[in-house]
């Protein structure tokens, strides 16, 4: 099953075509990330790849990491746009702004709808110059060390179906900005841990690190053979995990920052350190 949130983004030459409201939101995001902490970006996307269809995949470490990824993309000249769950696009205030910004909708209530949307996403990815960014894990990692979870094969299958390169994005530090909180929000009390941690973040000044890696080599994966999605997914997830190592060299075992609200009930199959 595909992750409910992707990001469709454009290279620097087409940035001026982004809707004004979305450019404004991205600039606000960049200011927010710089206010909360310090962002360091390494790696990048070559000019050659920017001219081609491209899939980008990132690890998921916290509720603030999408903001950090947006700021990192902005820094290397990319304006991200998202494929969002229908509930977000139907929300008051923010929903209309996101729809006007050109974000895409995905609903996963029916399998037939999901299959159709997968085909549409593959076709869009195959025929556009705009890259797509996906969280293969589908949720914030529950691994005690915050290494990537096993994840889902949707991003890998999408890359194989569209026949496009995959850029792994590794990130670290965004988990320090805002607590995980709770799986579902049932009342104001559930927002208190997020609010307290978020408001104290500018005083703590966490370091946000994002690395854009080299394309994942999927040349040996034959799309038509059974299990191709699983094999491609393993290569993608291992590349993301390997890219995390230099970003967290002094905390390979577990994060120094302790979030008492985040579950730690899974074990990463990709960690080898």
């Amino acid at each position: 099953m595909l992750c409910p949130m992707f990001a469709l983004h454009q290279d620097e030459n087409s940035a001026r075509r982004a809707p004004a409201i979305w450019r404004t939101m991205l600039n606000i995001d960049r200011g927010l990330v710089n206010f909360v902490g310090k962002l360091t970006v390494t790696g990048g996307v070559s000019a050659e790849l920017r001219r081609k269809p491209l899939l980008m995949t990132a690890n998921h470490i916290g509720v603030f990491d999408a903001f950090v990824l947006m700021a990192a993309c902005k820094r290397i000249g990319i304006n991200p746009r998202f494929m969002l769950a229908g509930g977000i696009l139907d929300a008051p205030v923010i929903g209309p702004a996101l729809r006007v910004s050109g974000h895409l909708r995905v609903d996963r209530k029916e399998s037939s709808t999901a299959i159709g949307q997968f085909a549409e996403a593959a076709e869009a990815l195959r025929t556009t110059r705009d890259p797509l960014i996906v969280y293969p894990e589908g949720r914030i990692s529950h691994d005690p060390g915050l290494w990537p979870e096993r994840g889902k094969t949707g991003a890998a299958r999408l890359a194989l179906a569209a026949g496009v390169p995959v850029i792994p994005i590794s990130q670290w530090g965004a988990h320090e900005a805002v607590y995980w909180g709770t799986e579902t929000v049932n009342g104001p009390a559930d927002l208190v841990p997020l609010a307290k941690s978020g408001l104290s973040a500018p005083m703590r000044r966490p370091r946000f690190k994002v690395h854009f890696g080299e394309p994942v080599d999927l040349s040996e994966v034959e799309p038509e053979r059974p299990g191709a999605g699983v094999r491609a997914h393993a290569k993608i997830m291992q590349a993301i995990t390997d890219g995390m190592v230099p970003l967290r060299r002094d905390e390979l075992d577990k994060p120094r920052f302790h979030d008492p609200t985040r579950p730690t009930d899974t074990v990463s199959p990709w960690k080898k350190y």
Side-chain angles (χ1 to χ4, degrees):
M1 186 70 69
L2 285 173
C3 173
M5 184 174 72
F6 316 148
L8 188 65
H9 55 276
Q10 302 172 318
D11 63 28
E12 191 170 15
N13 292 331
S14 62
R16 60 182 175 273
R17 293 200 298 268
I21 189 171
W22 182 233
R23 294 198 305 270
T24 300
M25 293 171 72
L26 286 172
N27 286 329
I28 292 173
D29 171 78
R30 180 170 54 182
L32 172 65
V33 171
N34 289 335
F35 173 72
V36 171
K38 181 179 180 180
L39 174 63
T40 301
V41 179
T42 55
V45 180
S46 69
E48 180 183 2
L49 286 178
R50 287 177 185 238
R51 293 192 294 267
K52 299 178 179 179
L54 181 67
L55 185 71
M56 304 176 81
T57 55
N59 60 308
H60 204 358
I61 58 174
V63 298
F64 195 69
D65 69 19
F67 298 98
V68 172
L69 284 178
M70 289 163 59
C73 287
K74 185 73 173 176
R75 181 168 297 184
I76 66 170
I78 293 172
N79 284 342
R81 289 191 294 169
F82 292 83
M83 180 178 283
L84 300 170
I88 297 176
L89 293 176
D90 292 336
V93 183
I94 189 65
L98 292 173
R99 292 198 299 271
V100 170
S101 298
H103 295 280
L104 306 179
R105 184 188 191 98
V106 58
D107 295 295
R108 301 194 301 170
K109 293 181 179 180
E110 299 179 5
S111 60
S112 59
T113 301
I115 293 172
Q117 288 174 336
F118 180 89
E120 291 174 4
E123 180 61 22
L125 182 57
R126 187 185 301 114
T127 58
T128 184
R129 293 182 180 180
D130 297 333
L132 189 71
I133 187 168
V134 180
Y135 285 120
E137 292 168 89
R139 70 174 185 179
I140 297 169
S141 175
H142 288 198
D143 175 73
L146 209 50
W147 293 96
E149 290 192 323
R150 182 170 299 279
K152 302 176 182 180
T153 62
R157 292 187 292 109
L158 183 60
L160 294 175
V164 301
V166 178
I167 294 289
I169 304 177
S170 306
Q171 63 170 322
W172 188 245
H175 60 289
E176 298 185 20
V178 181
Y179 280 172
W180 180 89
T182 181
E183 194 74 44
T184 58
V185 177
N186 297 312
D190 292 333
L191 298 176
V192 171
L194 283 76
K196 285 185 176 180
S197 56
L199 290 173
S200 68
M203 293 178 285
R204 294 184 279 108
R205 298 292 294 168
R207 293 189 61 192
F208 307 133
K209 304 175 186 178
V210 179
H211 178 70
F212 295 86
E214 294 295 321
V216 180
D217 184 6
L218 299 179
S219 60
E220 297 181 355
V221 180
E222 300 178 31
E224 303 303 323
R225 295 192 62 180
V230 174
R231 290 189 291 275
H233 174 71
K235 287 179 174 289
I236 292 169
M237 295 306 299
Q238 195 61 62
I240 294 172
T241 306
D242 292 345
M244 289 180 66
V245 175
L247 306 183
R248 52 177 300 181
R249 180 71 69 182
D250 56 348
E251 46 185 324
L252 292 178
D253 182 32
K254 62 181 181 180
R256 285 194 304 266
F257 181 81
H258 176 61
D259 179 353
T261 69
R262 184 175 65 86
T264 55
D265 54 3
T266 63
V267 177
S268 170
W270 315 115
K271 178 186 173 184
K272 297 180 179 179
Y273 313 99

